[in-house]
């Protein structure tokens, strides 16, 4: 395969990896030697083993892949029976397939032949199953009944399960392990990697190696909610850029046609150009950011959350939606101090430097950088500011020389300026890297050196000599560009789209790679230490995409950090009223805008803020018994109670349900019992709740006035009603009686509610039903069958799904109830004669535009060689001389009779014309035998029963 095609396939698999395709993706990565992708696939298989084994795609993977899965020490399974069941299903699948790659293994005589083969066999997979972790009953009821093991092997295994000191040895090659595979806690995502995929370096060397498996608490807010906006500030640029590019692409395609009408004309001494109007309108639409070309908002790289120590206290500072700086005391987080930042545009990043007893804050906006002096928690003053014509990507103060500020611009230029003299101390233009892509970050290493990072390389600059000292190229492919970096002592950590890299600043030749498993670019990174332990947290701009690195594994694989949606799920289990708070998920889904990992009083916490400025906290603890969900759940419930409640919206869907709405306003949907029509004191008058639009003076139609009169007797004495007393006549019965007494003909369909438009009778279901039934009685509602005259029959075999449809018109306005289709014909090779079979189908009625008017799902046992009558969910009026389409999807395998019919059929004077409209709309129309309909009173004229072609009686079709 071509290298660029492998790269594109790898990029796609990284973004679309889930249990169903994890095994296939692993085989692709193994074939083309992509160790990072192999590791990610194995971690998904280990984390979601049950889902992987249950997928039908598992039966088609290679045996070598199954052996790799069965080799893992940690699998998310309840017992080894799940592995044995999967390999049993795999063996059955390949034994039944013609030309199967896997030979049949029944445990007798085949073991030797397969053992001599160089290729992996099913027996190799069975040998890796830890039978000794099963109980005698589990083994007897499962593997003991299988033909994949011989009788002698079953006896030997069962003897060893019952007693460890059995005289009979385990069969040769079988696993003798009695230790069950470790099943991970839901809040973890730690897996054992495939051997050889990574170097055996640890993420943190020496005493920095963590000696315990950390557990991460559910996140919860530490203060009351802030004011929310309708726009996610982090996603806004992405949305605007995406919409602009789509519009640009559409205009480019259209320009191929429009350029023919663009002409120059000279009128007098002036020359004019004729342009299409839409091109002029597009010219007014400006590119939201000509420098931006990315799938995440890189302006927020580094984040807006910063930790400060003021007067011995620990504080977090970040901006809110109004660009005010908010300070939170971490020991009293509910107390918030607000400072005016004097920033006119959104703040993308905050950095701080301790200078004597004060803090210097660097506030980075898109085209503006300012340095503020934070004197105390209530006072701030401006020291320096500067505006730039191109967007600013990074801005930091030198820790050792705080008068020097570095600024990186999107035109690949780095400037170091003295804020006292406002003179440039150093300037560097990164113009020799073609793949830099307008993205750069930097850090001061010391008083003399700077590290400058672009998308693919790192440069160490000496701004005394104003030259490039070292170049570090990790040889990244285009889909794995760098996103962020940070320095811890002599080690530099770089996060790319697919993995975390570690290098020694003193020797940049050696690089270790660690997969981070994030599916979004990790643009925030932070460290914290506790004793000899180090914690590194990575997160993307998605609130549920965070991982934690520690030093406990020699392979440095991460732990998953729970998201706020998991806390919300636990809250809903304890407080069912939150289930109906449908805007809560969206309220908690704002993008992450900052991250900090802090050691506070001997405990390590992860703090992160969203783009609204709200801060959430998660504790990292050692002992799983310390894990408690009470604090996160109680904090989130209190936070929800302080949210501004959305105004309830009443959606009136139809007249029948309006009666219930009158007695349901201002009540809790969970506690409301619709079987008891209580009249609440705050909702006793339905008409008052619907004013001013639905007040009596706005009602003009006779039909609406008649409906409002239903409530006249209730509105007179509403004030005297007891809230616990049922009304004399239930509102549902009142409206039902009113509907029965109106036929809703064309002259009454205008409700007259404030000039509302007339009702579209082609889609309404408000039909008069007669109590006389369908057999006879009133001619208005009598069912009629327009059966098509059968000319010829052919048989059609349905092997999967059979679609059939026919278009038709009618010369009168009628009401369609359903259709008739033929049942199956018994197969000739059936050994036992059968008369009934289960039918499964779907039918619908469409208008000429393809809009569905009505439909139904049909499941029932029917007789062979019969006609199946299918009734739609609701009858529908159709208008004369308009094209409609009726279709059926048959899901039952079998043989169906398809008929040939004339193009017209007549029933009771109503003429149906079939196969109308476009020729491709009617497909296998011979499966639709009859249309069931009735004639409304307006069209019900006496008809001659002897009209030729009147097929009102149903013929014997076969």
């Amino acid at each position: 395969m071509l290298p660029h095609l492998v790269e594109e396939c790898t990029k796609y698999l990284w973004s679309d990896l889930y249990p169903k395709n994890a095994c296939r993706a692993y085989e692709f990565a193994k074939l083309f030697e992509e160790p990072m992708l192999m590791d990610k696939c194995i971690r998904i298989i280990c984390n979601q083993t049950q889902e992987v084994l249950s997928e039908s795609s598992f039966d088609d993977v290679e045996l070598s892949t199954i052996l790799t899965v069965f080799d893992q020490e940690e699998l998310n399974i309840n017992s080894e029976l799940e592995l044995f069941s999967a390999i049993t299903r795999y063996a059955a699948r390949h034994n039944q397939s013609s030309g199967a790659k896997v030979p049949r293994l029944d445990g007798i005589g085949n073991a030797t032949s397969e053992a001599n083969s160089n290729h992996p066999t099913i027996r190799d997979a069975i040998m890796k199953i830890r039978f000794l972790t099963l109980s005698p009953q589990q083994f007897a009821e499962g593997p003991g009944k299988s033909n994949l093991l011989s009788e002698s092997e079953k006896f030997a295994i069962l003897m060893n399960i019952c007693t460890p000191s059995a005289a009979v040895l385990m069969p040769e090659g079988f696993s003798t392990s009695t230790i069950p595979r470790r099943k991970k806690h839901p809040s973890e995502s730690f897996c054992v990697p495939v051997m050889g995929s990574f170097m055996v370096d640890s993420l943190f060397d020496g005493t920095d190696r963590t000696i315990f498996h950390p557990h991460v608490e559910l996140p919860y807010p530490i203060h009351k909610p802030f004011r929310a906006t309708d726009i996610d500030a982090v996603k806004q640029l992405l949305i605007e850029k995406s919409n602009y590019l789509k519009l640009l692409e559409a205009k480019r395609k259209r320009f191929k046609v429009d350029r023919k009408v663009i002409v120059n004309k000279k009128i007098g001494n002036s020359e004019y150009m004729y342009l299409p109007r839409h091109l002029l309108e597009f010219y007014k639409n400006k590119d939201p950011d000509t420098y931006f070309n990315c799938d995440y908002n890189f302006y927020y790289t580094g984040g807006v959350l910063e930790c400060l120590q003021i007067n011995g206290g620990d504080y977090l500072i970040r901006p809110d939606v109004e660009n005010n700086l908010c300070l939170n005391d971490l020991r009293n987080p509910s107390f918030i101090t607000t400072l005016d930042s004097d920033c006119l545009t959104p703040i993308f990043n905050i950095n701080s430097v301790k200078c004597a007893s004060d803090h210097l804050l660097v506030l980075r906006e898109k085209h503006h950088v300012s340095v503020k002096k934070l004197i105390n928690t209530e006072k701030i003053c401006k020291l320096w500011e500067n505006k730039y014509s191109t967007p600013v990507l990074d801005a930091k103060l030198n820790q050792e020389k705080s008068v020097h500020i570095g600024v990186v611009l999107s035109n690949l230029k780095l400037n170091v300026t003295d804020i006292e003299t406002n003179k440039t101390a150093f300037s560097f233009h990164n113009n020799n890297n073609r793949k830099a892509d307008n993205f750069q970050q930097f850090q001061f290493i010391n008083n003399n050196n700077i590290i400058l990072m672009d998308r693919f390389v790192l440069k160490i600059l000496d701004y005394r000599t104003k030259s490039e000292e070292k170049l570090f190229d990790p040889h990244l492919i285009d889909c794995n560009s760098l996103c962020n970096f940070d320095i811890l002592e002599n080690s530099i950590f770089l996060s790319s789209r697919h993995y975390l890299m570690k290098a020694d600043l003193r020797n940049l030749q050696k690089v270790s790679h660690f997969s981070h498993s994030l599916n979004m670019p990790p643009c925030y990174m932070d460290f914290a230490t506790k004793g000899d332990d180090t914690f590194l947290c990575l997160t993307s701009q998605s609130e549920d995409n965070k991982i934690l690195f520690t030093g406990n594994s020699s392979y440095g694989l991460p732990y998953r950090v729970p998201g706020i949606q998991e806390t919300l799920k636990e809250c809903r289990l304890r407080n069912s009223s939150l289930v109906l708070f449908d805007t809560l998920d969206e309220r908690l889904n704002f993008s992450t805008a900052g991250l900090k990992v802090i050691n506070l009083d001997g405990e390590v916490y992860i703090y992160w803020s969203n783009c609204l400025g709200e801060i959430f906290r998660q504790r990292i603890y050692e002992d799983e018994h310390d894990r408690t969900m009470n604090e996160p759940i109680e904090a989130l419930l209190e936070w929800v109670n302080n949210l501004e409640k959305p105004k309830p919206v009443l959606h009136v869907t139809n007249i029948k349900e309006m009666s219930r709405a009158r007695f349901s306003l201002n009540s809790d949907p969970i506690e409301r019992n619709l079987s008891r029509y209580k009249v609440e004191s705050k909702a006793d008058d339905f008409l008052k709740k619907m004013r001013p639009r639905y007040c009596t003076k706005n009602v003009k139609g006779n039909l609406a006035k008649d409906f409002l009169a239903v409530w006249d007797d209730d509105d007179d004495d509403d004030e005297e009603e007891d809230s616990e007393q049922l009304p004399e006549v239930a509102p549902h019965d009142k409206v039902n009686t009113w509907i029965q007494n109106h036929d809703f003909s064309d002259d009454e369909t205008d409700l007259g509610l404030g000039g509302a438009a007339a009702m579209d009778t082609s889609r309404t279901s408000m039909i008069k039903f007669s109590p006389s039934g369908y057999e006879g009685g009133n001619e208005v509602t009598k069912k009629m069958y327009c059966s098509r005259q059968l000319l010829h029959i052919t048989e059609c075999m349905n092997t999967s799904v059979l679609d059939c449809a026919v278009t038709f018109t009618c010369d009168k306005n009628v009401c369609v109830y359903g259709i008739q289709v033929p049942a199956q014909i018994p197969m000739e090779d059936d050994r036992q004669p059968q008369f009934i079979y289960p039918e499964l189908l779907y039918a619908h009625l469409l208008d000429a535009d393809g809009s569905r008017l009505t439909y139904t799902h049909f499941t029932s046992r029917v007789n062979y060689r019969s006609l199946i009558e299918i009734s739609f969910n609701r009858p529908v009026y159709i208008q004369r001389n308009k094209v409609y389409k009726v279709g059926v999807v048959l899901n039952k395998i079998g043989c169906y009779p398809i008929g040939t019919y004339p193009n017209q059929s007549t029933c009771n004077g109503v003429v149906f014309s079939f196969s109308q409209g476009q020729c491709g709309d009617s497909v296998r129309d011979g499966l639709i035998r009859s249309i069931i309909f009735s004639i409304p009173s307006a069209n019900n004229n006496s008809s001659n029963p002897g009209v030729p072609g009147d097929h009102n009686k149903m013929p014997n079709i076969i």
Side-chain angles (χ1 to χ4, degrees):
M1 190 180 291
L2 297 175
H4 70 274
L5 185 57
V6 174
E7 181 180 326
E8 289 299 321
C9 294
T10 304
K11 183 177 180 180
Y12 172 77
L13 289 174
W14 269 104
S15 62
D16 190 43
L17 199 56
Y18 52 98
K20 186 176 182 179
N21 65 356
C23 292
R24 284 299 191 188
Y26 172 79
E27 293 170 356
F28 172 88
K30 183 178 179 181
L31 178 63
F32 293 101
E33 298 180 352
E34 293 287 343
M36 302 299 108
L37 181 58
M38 289 172 61
D39 173 72
K40 186 173 183 179
C41 295
I42 286 296
R43 280 187 285 108
I44 289 180
I45 294 171
C46 293
N47 287 335
Q48 305 179 56
T49 313
Q50 293 175 326
E51 290 87 339
V52 172
L53 297 179
S54 62
E55 289 289 347
S56 58
S57 59
F58 186 79
D59 299 340
D60 299 323
V61 303
E62 297 179 1
L63 260 176
S64 60
T65 304
I66 295 180
L67 296 179
T68 301
V69 175
F70 284 21
D71 270 332
Q72 301 305 309
E73 187 67 25
E74 292 186 355
L75 292 175
N76 203 346
I77 56 176
N78 295 323
S79 72
E80 298 289 313
L81 290 178
E82 296 182 40
L83 300 181
F84 189 83
S85 176
I87 197 63
T88 302
R89 191 179 72 244
Y90 182 90
R93 165 69 181 272
H94 287 270
N95 288 336
Q96 293 174 2
S97 303
S98 58
K101 296 182 293 184
V102 182
R104 187 171 187 270
L105 177 62
D106 56 7
I108 303 176
N110 284 340
T112 305
S113 61
E114 290 200 12
N116 295 332
S117 175
N118 294 327
H119 300 287
T121 63
I122 292 179
R123 187 175 183 82
D124 295 332
I126 295 175
M127 289 179 178
K128 296 182 181 297
I129 298 177
R130 303 179 181 183
F131 292 109
L132 299 185
T133 63
L134 302 176
S135 66
Q137 182 179 359
Q138 287 177 321
F139 181 81
E141 294 177 353
K145 297 180 179 179
S146 173
N147 63 352
L148 296 181
L149 298 172
S150 66
E151 295 300 325
S152 60
E153 289 171 342
K154 295 176 185 177
F155 175 76
I157 294 173
L158 187 59
M159 287 291 291
N160 281 270
I161 292 175
C162 295
T163 172
S165 57
V168 181
L169 299 177
M170 282 287 289
E172 184 179 357
F174 278 66
S175 173
T176 58
S177 175
T178 59
I179 302 174
R181 302 179 200 262
R182 293 193 296 273
K183 185 177 180 180
K184 293 173 290 302
H185 190 274
S187 64
E188 300 177 21
S189 64
F190 179 82
C191 310
V192 174
V194 183
M195 295 304 294
S197 293
F198 293 96
M199 290 180 284
V200 292
D201 302 329
S202 65
L203 186 64
F204 302 110
D205 297 325
T207 58
D208 290 333
R209 299 190 63 171
T210 309
I211 59 174
F212 62 87
H213 288 280
H215 303 272
V216 184
E217 187 180 39
L218 292 174
Y220 59 93
I222 63 173
H223 55 78
K224 293 182 179 180
F226 283 3
R227 184 180 68 85
T229 59
D230 297 332
I231 300 175
D232 190 318
V234 177
K235 298 178 182 177
Q236 184 179 6
L237 180 58
L238 296 172
I239 297 173
E240 292 176 354
K241 190 73 174 183
S242 176
N243 293 338
Y244 177 81
L245 293 177
K246 289 179 182 178
L247 181 62
L248 180 62
E249 182 64 24
K251 298 302 179 184
R252 283 175 177 169
K253 292 180 180 179
R254 187 170 175 178
F255 181 72
K256 295 179 181 179
V257 179
D258 290 336
R259 63 183 177 182
K260 298 178 182 179
V261 299
I262 300 177
V263 294
N264 293 334
K265 288 213 172 183
K266 193 171 184 180
I267 303 175
N269 296 326
S270 302
E271 188 173 358
Y272 298 89
M273 175 179 286
Y274 285 90
L275 290 173
R277 182 182 296 275
H278 71 90
L279 287 180
L280 292 175
E281 294 175 352
F282 174 70
Y283 177 75
K284 298 177 183 178
N285 295 328
K286 295 183 179 180
D287 190 335
D289 192 332
T290 56
Y291 293 92
F292 184 81
N293 184 20
C294 196
D295 57 353
Y296 73 100
N297 196 335
F298 56 62
Y299 289 117
Y300 279 91
T301 300
V304 297
L305 190 64
E306 182 68 327
C307 182
L308 309 171
Q309 288 188 344
I310 306 174
N311 299 328
D314 295 285
Y315 291 83
L316 284 176
I317 188 170
R318 79 284 183 196
D320 59 12
V321 293
E322 297 175 351
N323 261 7
N324 295 318
L325 296 177
C326 301
L327 273 170
N328 274 85
D329 188 346
L330 296 184
R331 292 176 178 81
N332 185 17
S334 59
F335 179 74
I336 302 176
T337 304
T338 303
L339 303 172
D340 189 2
S341 67
D342 291 331
C343 295
L344 302 179
T345 57
I347 299 173
F348 292 140
N349 179 242
I350 299 179
N351 274 293
S352 70
V353 172
K354 187 69 178 294
C355 179
S357 60
D358 301 324
H359 281 273
L360 300 184
L361 300 179
V362 180
L363 307 182
R364 172 170 59 86
E365 304 166 57
K366 189 169 185 178
H367 292 278
H368 189 272
V369 176
S370 59
V371 179
K372 311 280 185 179
K373 184 177 182 181
L374 185 64
I375 301 173
N376 52 46
T377 58
E378 299 179 354
K379 190 175 181 181
I380 189 172
C381 63
K382 180 170 63 178
L383 294 182
W384 178 86
E385 66 176 351
N386 197 14
K387 293 182 179 180
Y388 300 89
S389 58
T390 57
V392 182
L393 297 180
D394 200 2
K396 293 183 178 71
L397 281 169
N398 192 337
Q399 295 277 356
E400 299 182 8
K401 198 180 224 181
S402 57
V403 295
H404 280 187
I405 183 172
V407 176
V408 169
L409 304 175
S410 54
N411 60 1
L412 304 182
K413 190 174 182 180
L414 167 65
N415 284 328
V416 178
T417 306
D418 191 320
I419 63 176
E420 293 180 348
T421 62
N422 206 24
K423 293 183 178 180
T424 301
F426 174 72
S427 180
F428 179 81
H429 199 277
N430 189 18
N431 57 359
N432 58 350
N433 185 8
R434 296 180 180 179
K435 298 197 299 182
D437 193 23
N438 298 329
F439 173 82
Q440 292 186 129
Q441 298 289 306
F442 83 101
Q443 278 198 35
F444 290 98
I445 303 178
N446 49 44
N447 200 19
N448 302 317
N449 296 101
I450 299 175
I451 291 184
L452 178 65
M453 181 193 80
D454 58 35
R455 290 286 187 192
F456 299 97
V457 299
L458 230 70
K459 296 178 180 180
I460 299 181
L461 310 176
D462 189 333
Y463 68 91
R464 294 173 302 177
T465 60
K466 299 182 180 181
S467 62
E468 179 181 320
E469 190 174 284
K470 292 181 182 179
L471 175 68
F472 171 49
D473 187 356
H475 303 289
L476 301 174
I477 58 178
D478 290 344
C479 66
N480 189 29
S481 57
L482 295 172
C483 303
N484 198 3
F485 78 100
D486 208 343
I487 299 173
L488 180 65
E489 297 177 352
N490 292 319
S491 298
I492 182 170
F493 295 87
L494 303 99
S495 61
S496 69
R497 287 177 175 268
H498 300 324
Y499 45 88
L500 178 71
M501 292 175 288
K502 175 190 174 184
D504 194 323
L505 284 173
R506 297 163 296 185
N507 180 17
L508 292 175
Q509 301 302 318
K510 182 181 179 183
V511 183
S512 302
H513 297 78
F514 308 88
S515 177
H516 57 58
S517 74
L518 294 176
N519 53 22
M520 296 287 289
C523 51
Y524 310 120
M525 179 194 305
D526 199 33
F527 303 93
T529 58
K530 178 184 176 181
D532 293 335
D533 304 319
T534 305
F535 304 88
L536 185 152
C537 187
L538 276 178
T539 179
S540 67
Q541 291 173 347
S542 176
E543 64 84 18
D544 60 346
N545 218 346
K546 303 176 183 66
I547 51 96
L548 177 69
F549 280 98
T550 65
N552 67 313
S553 169
S554 60
Y555 298 94
L557 293 176
Y559 293 87
R560 187 181 67 86
V561 177
I564 191 64
Q565 293 293 338
E566 296 180 45
T567 313
L568 178 59
K569 186 183 298 184
E570 295 293 336
C571 289
R572 283 173 169 162
L573 292 176
R574 300 195 183 188
N575 190 337
S576 57
S577 63
L578 294 183
V579 175
L580 298 176
F581 202 155
D582 53 356
T583 61
L584 194 54
D585 296 83
E586 183 179 356
R587 179 62 177 80
L588 289 169
N589 201 34
F590 280 93
S591 300
T592 302
L595 171 75
K596 282 295 170 184
V597 184
I598 301 173
N599 186 339
L600 185 65
D601 300 330
E603 296 288 345
V604 180
Y605 294 91
I606 299 174
Y607 290 90
W608 53 275
S609 67
N610 59 20
C611 58
L612 302 179
E614 297 167 335
I615 298 178
F616 299 81
R617 176 166 71 182
Q618 297 174 262
R619 183 169 68 96
I620 303 173
Y621 51 92
E622 305 177 16
D623 192 352
E624 188 176 2
H625 297 291
D626 293 342
R627 184 174 184 264
T628 174
M629 292 191 296
N630 291 332
E631 184 178 3
I633 292 175
E634 291 173 0
L636 185 58
L637 287 174
E638 182 182 355
W639 185 85
V640 171
N641 291 332
N642 286 291
L643 281 175
E644 181 181 355
K645 299 298 185 294
K647 296 180 180 179
V649 180
L650 175 64
H651 299 281
V652 179
T653 56
N654 55 52
I655 294 177
K656 182 177 178 180
E657 295 298 325
M658 286 171 67
S659 62
R660 295 187 180 184
R662 177 174 186 263
F663 298 95
S664 302
L665 296 173
N666 299 332
S667 61
D668 189 343
I670 291 182
E671 299 175 357
R672 184 174 69 235
N673 185 356
L674 291 179
S675 63
R676 300 182 63 193
Y677 296 94
K678 296 182 180 180
V679 181
E680 301 291 341
S681 59
K682 294 183 180 179
D684 55 345
D685 189 352
F686 174 76
L687 295 179
K688 290 181 181 179
K689 292 295 181 183
M690 303 300 290
R691 284 188 176 95
R693 180 175 179 183
Y694 297 102
C695 63
T696 308
K697 66 179 181 180
N698 287 337
V699 177
K700 300 176 182 179
N702 295 328
L703 184 63
K705 290 180 179 179
D706 193 15
F707 170 70
L708 295 179
V710 174
W711 309 103
D712 287 345
D713 56 340
D714 288 343
D715 296 329
D716 295 338
D717 56 355
D718 270 346
E719 296 180 358
E720 301 178 1
E721 288 183 355
D722 185 0
S723 61
E724 297 296 332
Q725 181 181 357
L726 292 175
E728 293 182 4
V729 181
H732 180 275
D733 297 334
K734 284 187 177 185
V735 177
N736 219 21
T737 304
W738 179 75
I739 291 175
Q740 298 295 335
N741 293 331
H742 290 75
D743 59 4
F744 299 97
S745 57
D746 292 340
D747 58 340
E748 292 192 34
T749 53
D750 183 7
L751 291 180
L753 296 179
M759 185 183 302
D760 183 3
T761 57
S762 67
R763 299 192 185 186
T764 180
S765 62
M766 301 170 65
I767 301 168
K768 176 184 175 185
F769 296 97
S770 173
S772 58
Y774 298 117
E775 304 298 333
N778 194 338
E779 185 71 7
V780 176
T781 57
K782 178 183 177 182
K783 275 189 179 181
M784 302 177 188
Y785 296 80
C786 177
S787 300
R788 306 167 70 187
Q789 186 178 15
L790 191 61
L791 301 179
H792 179 69
I793 290 180
T794 57
E795 296 180 357
C796 177
M797 186 63 187
N798 180 23
T799 59
S800 177
V801 176
L802 188 63
D803 293 332
C804 50
V806 63
T807 56
F808 68 93
T809 61
C810 185
D811 67 342
K812 289 184 175 63
N813 295 337
V814 299
C815 175
V816 175
Y817 289 88
I819 59 174
Q820 286 184 322
V821 297
Q824 290 185 5
I825 304 172
M827 303 295 293
E828 296 181 357
D829 56 351
D830 287 346
R831 299 180 180 178
Q832 295 182 354
Q834 297 181 356
F835 304 98
I836 298 177
Y837 76 98
E839 183 58 83
L840 176 63
L841 58 85
Y842 163 80
H844 59 217
L845 179 65
L846 311 177
D847 62 11
D849 298 328
S851 300
R852 189 174 70 181
L853 305 180
T854 185
Y855 71 99
T856 187
H857 294 273
F858 179 88
T859 304
S860 180
R861 297 182 65 83
V862 298
N863 294 322
Y864 283 102
R865 301 180 184 273
S866 64
L867 271 180
I868 305 172
E869 182 170 323
I870 305 167
S871 297
F872 292 127
N873 287 349
R874 63 184 182 92
V876 173
Y877 277 116
I878 65 172
Q879 299 178 1
R880 62 182 181 180
N881 300 329
K882 287 191 175 182
V883 178
Y884 295 88
K885 180 178 179 180
V886 62
V888 179
V889 180
L890 301 163
N891 296 283
K892 192 67 178 177
I893 297 176
C895 185
Y896 290 88
I898 296 183
T900 304
Y901 314 95
N903 288 336
Q904 283 191 350
S905 295
T906 306
C907 178
N908 282 42
V910 181
V911 179
F912 286 83
S913 300
F914 296 93
S915 300
Q916 301 298 307
Q918 299 181 3
C919 58
D921 288 341
S922 298
V923 181
R924 289 180 285 275
D925 61 332
L927 281 168
I928 298 175
R929 294 294 172 89
S930 307
I931 294 181
I932 308 170
F933 70 101
S934 67
I935 306 175
S937 58
N939 294 331
N940 186 26
N941 302 321
S942 59
S943 58
N944 183 4
V947 176
D950 186 349
H951 311 293
N952 194 25
K953 295 183 180 180
M954 294 174 287
N956 187 5
I957 65 172
I958 298 176

